[in-house]
Amino acid sequence: MCKKAGGLMLMLMFSAAIFKADPVQSQSRDRSTVSVQDTWNLADLYPSDAAWKQAKDGMVGRFDHILQFKGKVASSASTLLACLQFNADLSREFGRLRNYA
């Protein structure tokens, strides 16, 4: 079970590399030509590029923590819950990192 959760986590981590923008559908516009109301407010995700980098580095540092669940997920409901919460937290943070980037 943890193997599946770990596989799911890895799949989410590398989704940005796998799914590339379709050149036919993507558009390149100079940001200065787009009105502010039509742009993303990235400060809602991270207040600065430095804060994003700090969050990214922190996330990378958490990858090895998944190993604490190896071979233990089926031992108890609380261990399974902890593994699923860890996976959900990592997935949520990865989404924020990916969207900001």
Side-chain angles (χ1 to χ4, degrees), residues 44-58:
D44 290 341
L45 298 173
Y46 299 100
S48 66
D49 289 351
W52 176 85
K53 184 177 180 341
Q54 182 178 8
K56 178 187 67 82
D57 292 343

Side-chain angles (χ1 to χ4, degrees), residues 68-69 72-85:
Q68 70 185 334
F69 300 108
K72 299 176 186 172
V73 175
S75 66
S76 71
S78 61
T79 303
L80 173 61
L81 178 60
C83 183
L84 293 173
Q85 286 176 329

Side-chain angles (χ1 to χ4, degrees), residues 26-44:
S26 65
Q27 297 177 3
S28 178
R29 296 197 296 181
D30 187 335
R31 188 169 175 87
S32 65
T33 65
V34 179
S35 67
V36 173
Q37 67 192 28
D38 293 330
T39 61
W40 289 66
N41 182 4
L42 296 178
D44 290 341

